[in-house]
Structures are given as C-alpha cells and as structure tokens.
Amino acid sequence: MVVKIIKRPFVNPKMMGEMIRQQIRATLYRVKESTKVELAQSTGISFPTISKTLDEMNDSGEVLLTGLGLSSGGRRPRTYKLNPDYMTGLAVCLEKDFSSYLILNYEGDIIGRETLPGVLQAGPELLTEQIGIFLARFPSMRVLTLGVPGAVNNGRVSHMPDYERFKDFNFRTFYEERFSLRVQVENDMNTTVIGYYDSIGSDDSLSLVYLYLGKNGPGAGIIVNGHVVRGGTFFSGEVSYVPLSDTQNFMQMIDAASAIQDSNQSRSKLMEAISRLVAVFTATINPHIIIFCSTELTNLDLVQIRNRGASLVPEENLPKLVVSDWKQDYFHGLHQLTVGSMLAAD
Amino acid sequence: MVVKIIKRPFVNPKMMGEMIRQQIRATLYRVKESTKVELAQSTGISFPTISKTLDEMNDSGEVLLTGLGLSSGGRRPRTYKLNPDYMTGLAVCLEKDFSSYLILNYEGDIIGRETLPGVLQAGPELLTEQIGIFLARFPSMRVLTLGVPGAVNNGRVSHMPDYERFKDFNFRTFYEERFSLRVQVENDMNTTVIGYYDSIGSDDSLSLVYLYLGKNGPGAGIIVNGHVVRGGTFFSGEVSYVPLSDTQNFMQMIDAASAIQDSNQSRSKLMEAISRLVAVFTATINPHIIIFCSTELTNLDLVQIRNRGASLVPEENLPKLVVSDWKQDYFHGLHQLTVGSMLAAD
DNA sequence: ATAACTTATTAAACTTCTTTAATAAGTACC
DNA sequence: GGTACTTATTAAAGAAGTTTAATAAGTTAT
C-alpha cells in the first residue's frame, strides 16, 4: 500500500533490545570509538539502557573497553569500540577471469585481500573450494557477500546467460546450509550504485543511475528514492535495449559509433547516444545524479553531454553528471553490504 | 543509506501507544467491524493492550460499540467499528474547468460530492472560498487532500506553468495556518498511480507506470518498489520529452501520428510510439505493470503494443499491460490519500 | 431450569525501557 | 594536600507492554 495505512511492521518490547544493540553497533561503526554518554546522545536512547546493553556487549566480547576519554572537568569516561575480532566477513567479486576476495573484520577494516582464478565458467565447486580456504583460515567468518555479473533474485541466480554452470544456482541456500554463514548476493551494477550512494553519504533518499559501457554491453545500476531498483523480472538497467533512434537501440548506437573510422565523428556519435539516454532517464525517473565510469568518459565529455541533453529536455531538470571510479565504487559497495550484514547480526 | 545501517528510525516506549492506535484504526478500516480478540489476532498486539486502548478510543468517541458478535459456543463478544462522525476529510480534484469535492467520513465512506467552478485560473482566493463552504458545513473536517495538475514539493507548487496565480503557492502552510487542517497536496498522475496501486491491493512492493496521453500532453505516474517517484526536480514522468527516434521525442511522435490523414497509418504510428516507450521503461526500471487509460486504448491495442515491444526487448521482460479507468483511479487515489491522512491522525 | 462448559473480560505478575535521584570517581583551585 | 566542584556511574521509582491467572457472562444439554 502506498497509502500510509500500516500493515504490520510493528515493534513490540521484545524486539527493542535487539534494535538497541543495532543502534549501538551502527553508531560505533560510524564513530569508531565512543563513551556511554555519547552513545546515549547520538542514538537518543536513555543512558541506563545504553549502559546495561553495552556492558552485556562487553561481556560477550562484541565491544572492547579501549581506555579513558578526555575529561571535560570531571571524572574521565570509559571509551568503547567494536571488537575487530568478534566476527569476520568475506566479500567476493566474481568475474570471468578472476575472483577477488576481501576479508573484513568487525570494525569494517580490510584485513586481507586476495585474487584467485575465475570460477564462473568452472562452476560452483571451485567457488566452494575457494570459500573453504578462507573459512578455514578465519574461523570467525560469519557473513558472505557475493557480487556477480548477472541477475539474482533473493540469493538465487535468475539470469546469467554466459555462465551455464551457475544457471539457477541458489548461492544463499547452498552456502547457508553448507557453512553457517549469512549469505547475500547482489548484481555487480547494483552493488556499484550502492557503493557510490553510500560514499556520498547523503541521508535523504536520492535517485541515481550508474552507467557502465563495458565490454559485455552497457548496463546501469539504478537507485530510486534510496532503494535499489531490481525490476519485475530483474531486467532493470539493461539499457542496451533502450530504443533511441529510428532503427537503433542504445547498444547498437554505441556499436555503430565505435565502428566509425573518423575518431571525431565516432566520438560525437557516442556522445549523442549517451545524451539521449540521459534525456530518457531525466524524462522518466528524473534522477538527482547520473554517474559515468572515469575510464570511459572525461569531465569534458560531460559538458558536451549536458549541452546536448539540454536540447532534449529543459536544462534545469538534467541530473548532476559525474564521473567516478567503477572498480572503487563496486568494491566499496561490496564492502558496505558485508559490513551491513555483519552489523545486522543476530 | 542503502546499506542497512540504521540511522535513527527508532521506537521508544512513548511512541508505542500511538502506534498501537494506528494499527487498530487501520485494521478497523479494513475489516469495518471487529471484536477485541479479532483485533489482537490480526494486529499481533496482546489482548489486554488492545482492550485498554480500544476502551480509551471508545471513551473519546473514536470508535463505537456496535453490539454483539456471533457466539462460537460461549459468551458473545462486543463488536466495535470506527465512528463515522469522529472526523471528516475533504478530497479535492483541481482541474482547469472544475473542482471536484469529495467529503469522506471517518469510515472512508463518501458522504457528499460536489463539483464547483474551476479555480486554477482564478487563483487561491476562490479555492479558499470553496473550501470555506465545506468547512462551515462540516465542522469536524480535519484533513484536506488536493490533487493538482502540476509539480508539487511538500505541499508547495514547484511547477505549474499554465496557472500563474498558483505559482509557488504553498497549499500546505496556507491552509494549515488558516484552517486547522492537515493538508496534503499531490500531483494528479502520482495520485492516479497511487489509486491504481492501492486498488490492486498487493502487499509486495511493485513498480508501476501509469501512462496518460492527455490533451495537455502525455504524462506518467511512476511507482518504484512501492514508492511514488517524484524525481530530483519533480520532473519525473514527463515522458513527452523521451527521445524515441532520430528527430522526435514521444510527444512529437504522437502529435505527428495524429496529424496523419490515413487513420490506419495514424494509429500504427501511435502504436509504434507507445511500444517504444514501453521498451524504454522495460529496459530501465523494468516495471511489473504499465497502465493505460481505457478511454485511449483498447485491449486489442495492447496486444499490438506487446507484439511490437517484444521486437525491442526480450518478451519475457515486458511488463503486464493493462487498461484502466483514469478518472476512477484518480479519485480512488485521492480517496485513499485522504483516508490515510485521517487515520494517521495525531 | 439448572449444571457443565465456553469464551470474553478483568486483574495480577513480570519484562523492559525511561526518568529521576543518589553515589562514586576524578579535577582544579587555594 | 585538602576542599569544592564536575562528571561518570549506579540505583531506585515510574511507565507501558506482555504473559499468565482469575473472574464474569453467556451457551448448550440434560
């Protein structure tokens, strides 16, 4: 229901304890180190509750007493932080030619990274083997986050045409049953746009489009009102198919552009295609920002796109156009998803 | 933050009372009449709490004891319902040539409807006067919902080019201060898509596009993941501007179509334009459903659009295409927004 | 019509968070 | 170095929901 008639998202006293722990975890993650008073202020929870809960978390080893903070004229307060060794998380980026592994501690720090051979063509067995290695090395591993180049639905592959061995593979149930891990799987472009969204750290719910013009054909990750758009058939962001001219869709247009000999003309045709796609997004979901890969476009290109775009839609409605580092945003997304999964614990 | 690290949407014991009342209201609105036991079951709240809260709501006149329910072998339970006279809401549809008023009681029933002269060209004074009439006639009026043909941002007009007198007019502050009403303002297409979304009564969060090819140029109302898309500059759904061919955008394409003499050819060009727009939405946000106005298209047209669309994007990703009654959905949206506003009370 | 049985309602005990008061542990100044 | 002042921490009282037990009000069947 759009209409704000609540259905059942209710909070009873029993859940409050866990919610309070979540608030504490999230705050400690943000600020790294804090006193009980500071936690009470920044969470809005009463001091005694914070004190009691934090003591419990200290007893269970989830947080550590780090010492005493600065005095502001009276007794010096004890400071606490998340215990980095409380839990470990594994973030995995699966690509055709390699698998990138990131090992994160409970504070969100990267305590290990490794690149192993690609598993997408080989099949799940090799992936299981690779994960097994890390699991053996880090017994406190509790969460697993996978970024994959394909459509996933609730942990299960729903469309990944190039990799037959993973057809319909359910990452979540497979690894949650086999190892006792909390498993998350996300599409690569969605992960990237999540990473970018998190990195700009805006708390109001924005709409963004992260555009990628890769070798495997272009694609986009979309966030609307702060939520990832997965689409009715997990086909969202497949912008290759957007019809933009009498005879060509977006992919055909950029393919045609790159086929042109004259490099100026080729570039100009590419710019035209992108400008049109920008106009399409502006006149439909009207995002705040569209992000391009810095390896593909320069800031100068953006000016050109903006100018051309302004001839298609009223300029004041054009989104902010920015370039960003795809790989970095992707990994940041994986990182944040993994941390989020660890901190949502219990 | 996309990453599920909570920021501050927290519930403390003080707010629980109000949340419980909300649950009770929402449930009573849905089921019309209920016993305490039934309410406890359907809300998941404990019986004593329901009992206490409902007694208070009965004392304050918010609910009424309607009698005794059926026995299932023991003492017959008392049944309660919302008191229709507890509060009144006014839903207003503002158009160029007329203003439609719907008066709703607290049960959501329409207890009056009236059409008065249009106010958009005349200016706010006339609207104030019209609202004043209803306010005098229904002293228990507490909420006001306005549907307007233009972009609004948090109760304030942000773009309504055809009606100068309402430029930047802040409906919300104006009427909340002048009369003591809770005021909501929503764009007409957004209201319509809300109405449709509510009418299909799905609880999972869908994505929909409601397409209107009106006299004032086409427009669309968009819901993604169950939330209305307003856009970064409140320009979302302005599909006129979507570039679809070498030289034409959507509006120019349908204008060109209607300019063609041969009616078959004209229709076919229109279908082509719509099919392309369907492909655009499919390859971007990939909605579950696209809704067309039944006054503009027939079910037969939809078949044609689907066929043509399937040549642009993989058919299995095409949304469900349906026709619906625009006016009805619009009014249902206004209705539901008004009821939602009444029930969210306090 | 009354006894036995069901079910609704009320009451009491318990849990959990908040608010307010009391105590303990430092600082700073004379 | 002791006294007055600050601030952290602990303890007690209050508020609000849940769970469990007790009571009241009807039904059903003999």
Side-chain angles (χ1 to χ4, degrees):
Chain A
M1 294 264 206
V2 183
V3 181
K4 290 164 283 173
I5 297 180
I6 307 145
K7 263 263 157 91
R8 228 189 202 263
F10 200 64
V11 181
N12 52 33
K14 267 184 294 187
M15 310 165 83
M16 287 190 77
E18 180 54 26
M19 299 204 68
I20 285 165
R21 276 195 292 280
Q22 296 238 1
Q23 290 271 106
I24 293 176
R25 281 184 204 117
T27 307
L28 283 180
Y29 177 70
R30 270 213 316 280
V31 305
K32 282 284 173 202
E33 199 178 43
S34 190
T35 68
K36 288 179 176 177
V37 170
E38 286 167 356
L39 278 172
Q41 285 169 345
S42 56
T43 58
I45 298 164
S46 74
F47 180 89
T49 302
I50 291 285
S51 180
K52 176 170 149 287
T53 308
L54 205 57
D55 288 347
E56 288 166 9
M57 291 169 86
N58 191 26
D59 293 344
S60 73
E62 186 170 356
V63 301
L64 294 177
L65 194 107
T66 50
L68 297 176
L70 296 172
S71 164
S72 42
R75 174 174 171 179
R76 297 174 64 191
R78 292 188 248 221
T79 57
Y80 297 84
K81 67 165 194 165
L82 293 174
N83 177 1
D85 301 328
Y86 183 65
M87 192 187 288
T88 311
L90 187 60
V92 189
C93 157
L94 297 180
E95 302 230 347
K96 187 182 170 211
D97 300 324
F98 61 88
S99 312
S100 259
Y101 290 85
L102 236 55
I103 298 131
L104 306 177
N105 67 19
Y106 200 54
E107 286 185 296
D109 294 329
I110 297 172
I111 57 173
R113 59 195 325 161
E114 201 150 334
T115 302
L116 298 177
V119 302
L120 290 171
Q121 291 172 316
E125 300 74 22
L126 183 56
L127 176 59
T128 307
E129 196 183 299
Q130 291 184 354
I131 291 173
I133 298 171
F134 293 102
L135 228 54
R137 210 188 304 165
F138 297 94
S140 61
M141 191 80 75
R142 293 288 173 280
V143 315
L144 169 64
T145 304
L146 297 152
V148 301
V152 289
N153 171 11
N154 194 27
R156 199 182 122 266
V157 171
S158 77
H159 193 63
M160 199 152 62
D162 299 334
Y163 308 107
E164 262 305 311
R165 312 294 277 272
F166 280 94
K167 185 170 163 59
D168 293 328
F169 183 63
N170 194 327
F171 287 100
R172 172 167 295 158
T173 54
F174 190 84
Y175 291 115
E176 286 196 339
E177 281 169 18
R178 174 148 314 205
F179 313 118
S180 69
L181 294 172
R182 193 181 1 259
V183 178
Q184 254 180 138
V185 194
E186 186 59 272
N187 165 268
D188 54 353
M189 284 312 301
N190 288 345
T191 305
T192 306
V193 70
I194 287 170
Y196 182 83
Y197 189 67
D198 183 89
S199 75
I200 59 175
S202 156
D203 10 294
D204 21 296
S205 56
L206 300 180
S207 300
L208 327 176
V209 176
Y210 205 116
L211 195 63
Y212 177 74
L213 315 166
K215 36 202 180 312
N216 326 319
I222 305 174
I223 284 180
V224 169
N225 291 337
H227 296 274
V228 174
V229 181
R230 299 205 159 75
T233 59
F234 307 95
F235 190 72
S236 69
E238 293 294 340
V239 292
S240 313
Y241 294 94
V242 173
L244 288 178
S245 82
D246 291 347
T247 55
Q248 296 177 317
N249 61 30
F250 183 64
M251 170 126 81
Q252 292 160 338
M253 237 172 135
I254 62 175
D255 282 351
S258 65
I260 294 175
Q261 296 292 317
D262 180 291
S263 88
N264 269 347
Q265 232 182 307
S266 165
R267 196 73 186 162
S268 137
K269 172 117 193 184
L270 176 65
M271 292 296 116
E272 176 65 18
I274 295 174
S275 304
R276 286 181 177 223
L277 195 61
V278 167
V280 162
F281 276 112
T282 304
T284 53
I285 59 172
N286 181 217
H288 297 80
I289 312 177
I290 295 184
I291 305 104
F292 302 91
C293 299
S294 49
T295 51
E296 298 168 342
L297 294 180
T298 67
N299 275 306
L300 216 73
D301 293 328
L302 296 190
V303 175
Q304 215 176 319
I305 292 169
R306 167 164 291 273
N307 287 337
R308 178 66 184 119
S311 68
L312 298 168
V313 297
E315 182 165 12
E316 64 269 28
N317 299 308
L318 281 175
K320 199 153 111 183
L321 305 176
V322 301
V323 291
S324 187
D325 182 327
W326 185 81
K327 191 123 214 154
Q328 185 181 311
D329 293 328
Y330 185 13
F331 277 80
H332 183 70
L334 280 175
H335 190 150
Q336 283 306 110
L337 285 174
T338 309
V339 169
S341 179
M342 283 199 285
L343 297 187
D346 233 44
Chain B
M1 293 264 206
V2 184
V3 182
K4 290 165 281 175
I5 298 178
I6 307 143
K7 265 266 156 91
R8 229 192 202 256
F10 200 63
V11 182
N12 52 35
K14 267 185 294 187
M15 311 166 83
M16 288 190 76
E18 180 53 27
M19 300 204 69
I20 286 165
R21 275 195 292 281
Q22 297 238 3
Q23 290 271 108
I24 293 176
R25 281 183 204 119
T27 307
L28 283 180
Y29 177 70
R30 271 212 316 279
V31 304
K32 281 284 172 203
E33 199 178 43
S34 190
T35 69
K36 288 179 176 178
V37 169
E38 287 167 356
L39 278 172
Q41 284 169 345
S42 56
T43 58
I45 298 164
S46 74
F47 180 87
T49 302
I50 292 286
S51 181
K52 176 169 148 288
T53 309
L54 206 57
D55 288 346
E56 287 166 7
M57 290 168 86
N58 191 26
D59 293 344
S60 74
E62 187 170 355
V63 300
L64 294 177
L65 193 104
T66 50
L68 297 176
L70 296 172
S71 164
S72 42
R75 171 173 171 179
R76 297 174 63 192
R78 293 189 249 224
T79 57
Y80 298 84
K81 67 165 194 165
L82 293 174
N83 177 0
D85 302 328
Y86 183 66
M87 192 187 290
T88 311
L90 187 60
V92 190
C93 158
L94 296 180
E95 300 231 348
K96 188 183 170 211
D97 301 322
F98 60 89
S99 312
S100 260
Y101 290 85
L102 236 56
I103 299 133
L104 306 177
N105 67 19
Y106 199 54
E107 284 186 298
D109 295 328
I110 297 172
I111 56 172
R113 60 195 323 160
E114 200 151 334
T115 303
L116 298 177
V119 303
L120 290 170
Q121 291 172 317
E125 301 74 23
L126 183 56
L127 176 60
T128 307
E129 195 183 301
Q130 292 184 354
I131 292 173
I133 297 171
F134 293 102
L135 228 54
R137 211 187 304 164
F138 297 95
S140 61
M141 192 81 75
R142 292 288 172 280
V143 317
L144 170 65
T145 305
L146 297 151
V148 301
V152 290
N153 172 11
N154 193 29
R156 198 181 123 265
V157 171
S158 78
H159 193 61
M160 200 152 61
D162 299 333
Y163 308 107
E164 262 305 311
R165 314 292 278 273
F166 280 95
K167 186 172 161 57
D168 292 329
F169 183 63
N170 193 325
F171 287 99
R172 171 167 296 157
T173 55
F174 189 83
Y175 290 114
E176 286 196 340
E177 281 169 18
R178 173 148 316 206
F179 313 117
S180 70
L181 294 172
R182 192 178 6 257
V183 178
Q184 254 181 137
V185 194
E186 186 57 273
N187 165 268
D188 53 354
M189 284 311 302
N190 288 346
T191 306
T192 306
V193 72
I194 287 170
Y196 182 84
Y197 190 67
D198 183 88
S199 75
I200 59 175
S202 155
D203 10 292
D204 22 298
S205 57
L206 300 179
S207 300
L208 325 176
V209 176
Y210 205 116
L211 196 62
Y212 176 74
L213 315 166
K215 38 203 178 306
N216 327 318
I222 305 174
I223 284 181
V224 169
N225 291 336
H227 296 273
V228 174
V229 181
R230 299 205 159 75
T233 59
F234 306 96
F235 190 71
S236 69
E238 294 293 340
V239 292
S240 313
Y241 294 93
V242 173
L244 289 178
S245 82
D246 291 349
T247 55
Q248 295 177 317
N249 61 32
F250 183 63
M251 169 125 80
Q252 292 160 338
M253 239 172 135
I254 61 174
D255 282 352
S258 64
I260 294 175
Q261 297 292 318
D262 180 292
S263 87
N264 269 347
Q265 232 182 307
S266 166
R267 196 73 186 162
S268 137
K269 172 118 193 184
L270 176 66
M271 292 296 116
E272 175 66 18
I274 295 174
S275 304
R276 285 180 179 225
L277 194 61
V278 167
V280 163
F281 276 112
T282 304
T284 52
I285 59 172
N286 182 217
H288 297 80
I289 313 177
I290 296 185
I291 304 104
F292 301 91
C293 298
S294 48
T295 51
E296 298 167 344
L297 293 180
T298 67
N299 274 307
L300 216 73
D301 293 329
L302 296 189
V303 175
Q304 215 176 318
I305 292 169
R306 168 164 291 274
N307 287 336
R308 178 66 185 119
S311 68
L312 297 168
V313 298
E315 181 165 13
E316 65 270 27
N317 299 308
L318 280 177
K320 199 154 111 182
L321 305 177
V322 301
V323 290
S324 187
D325 182 327
W326 186 81
K327 192 124 214 157
Q328 185 182 311
D329 293 328
Y330 186 11
F331 277 80
H332 182 71
L334 280 175
H335 189 149
Q336 283 305 110
L337 285 173
T338 310
V339 168
S341 180
M342 283 199 285
L343 297 187
D346 234 44

